[in-house]
Amino acid sequence: MKIICIGRNYVAHAKELNNDVPSKPIFFMKPDSALVTGNRPFFYPDFSDMVHHELEVVIRIDRLGKSIEEKYAHRYFSEVGLGVDFTARDLQNEMKKKGLPWEIAKGFDYSAPVSELFPVATCKDIHNLGFRLDVNGKTVQEGTTALMIFGFEKIISYVSRFMTLKTGDLIFTGTPAGVGPVAINDRLEAYMEGKKLMDFPVK
Ligand code: MG
């Protein structure tokens, strides 16, 4: 199982980190050891002083596919939920400055908590799915999939040109604006269409 994450997929977020808005999807990966489910606590890593939350809509691939055409891409996923792409921003900034890969900033253990997933068919409109993150009861990130630069189908089509997608693979589809640091003892609560899907502490 692999975890694919899309970067800079919301204009306001690309701008808040002073990045250009991409003309093609940007993606990176996290290993399966990054995955956390069941609202288990996030353990703050000792190698970073600046871990940021990035709340994202996550889809699960449920069919093997390679070079999938965009018009057929909707057939390759049927479940959706939320995930937090935890990012050691200090390490990422250092790596970006040197033009080096970001893995240590993005792929560390427990950096990918994911909520329970729900059938896409139960969503009113997956292309306009509202979601938000509260930290300690205060809303810090709010978005809708309508604002994604590259939609689910485009992402699946693009990524599958380079690597085969397999059943169980997860795709984090990018974060809206409002990323920021977390601290030990924070409580994170994430909502999709007003329904709470995630609720866990930072330890
Ligand atoms: Mg992200």
Side-chain angles (χ1 to χ4, degrees):
M1 186 278 255
K2 56 187 174 293
I3 303 170
I4 289 159
C5 305
I6 307 299
R8 305 175 195 170
N9 203 22
Y10 288 80
V11 173
H13 169 64
K15 296 217 159 123
E16 76 180 342
L17 294 185
N18 294 316
N19 290 314
D20 294 333
V21 174
S23 57
K24 285 186 279 204
I26 294 170
F27 72 93
F28 59 90
M29 288 170 62
K30 293 179 186 254
D32 57 3
S33 46
L35 182 66
V36 187
T37 56
N39 280 320
R40 288 206 293 274
F42 172 70
F43 292 98
Y44 203 102
D46 61 5
F47 46 76
S48 174
D49 296 315
M50 202 208 303
V51 173
H52 275 190
H53 55 74
E54 296 190 358
L55 181 68
E56 314 200 358
V57 171
V58 174
I59 54 172
R60 183 182 179 273
I61 296 296
D62 62 2
R63 232 176 119 173
L64 184 89
K66 187 176 168 56
S67 298
I68 300 161
E69 277 186 62
E70 202 174 325
K71 63 181 174 194
Y72 300 126
H74 65 278
R75 299 180 185 171
Y76 287 80
F77 70 103
S78 58
E79 288 184 317
V80 62
L82 295 174
V84 180
D85 166 18
F86 277 118
T87 303
R89 193 72 71 201
D90 46 356
L91 298 185
Q92 188 195 29
N93 288 341
E94 204 181 308
M95 294 298 116
K96 275 164 79 172
K97 224 183 293 165
K98 295 179 186 161
L100 293 172
W102 301 344
E103 267 78 356
I104 58 168
K106 287 286 197 179
F108 56 89
D109 286 353
Y110 317 121
S111 63
V114 172
S115 75
E116 191 185 338
L117 301 178
F118 295 87
V120 169
T122 62
C123 300
K124 214 164 40 189
D125 179 5
I126 189 161
H127 297 106
N128 188 11
L129 201 62
F131 60 105
R132 77 167 210 263
L133 177 69
D134 291 1
V135 177
N136 303 326
K138 185 172 167 274
T139 300
V140 290
Q141 288 196 271
E142 217 164 358
T144 158
T145 55
L147 293 175
M148 294 200 297
I149 299 169
F150 305 106
F152 302 109
E153 295 79 6
K154 182 85 184 173
I155 290 168
I156 287 172
S157 172
Y158 184 78
V159 172
S160 70
R161 280 170 58 193
F162 301 93
M163 50 187 74
T164 300
L165 293 175
K166 294 184 174 180
T167 299
D169 289 349
L170 297 173
I171 302 182
F172 279 62
T173 57
T175 196
V179 302
V182 295
I184 290 172
N185 295 325
D186 279 352
R187 178 182 179 189
L188 275 65
E189 296 165 282
Y191 297 79
M192 188 170 79
E193 297 285 80
K195 185 177 167 194
K196 180 146 79 170
L197 300 194
M198 303 182 88
D199 185 351
F200 64 92
V202 178
K203 296 209 161 177

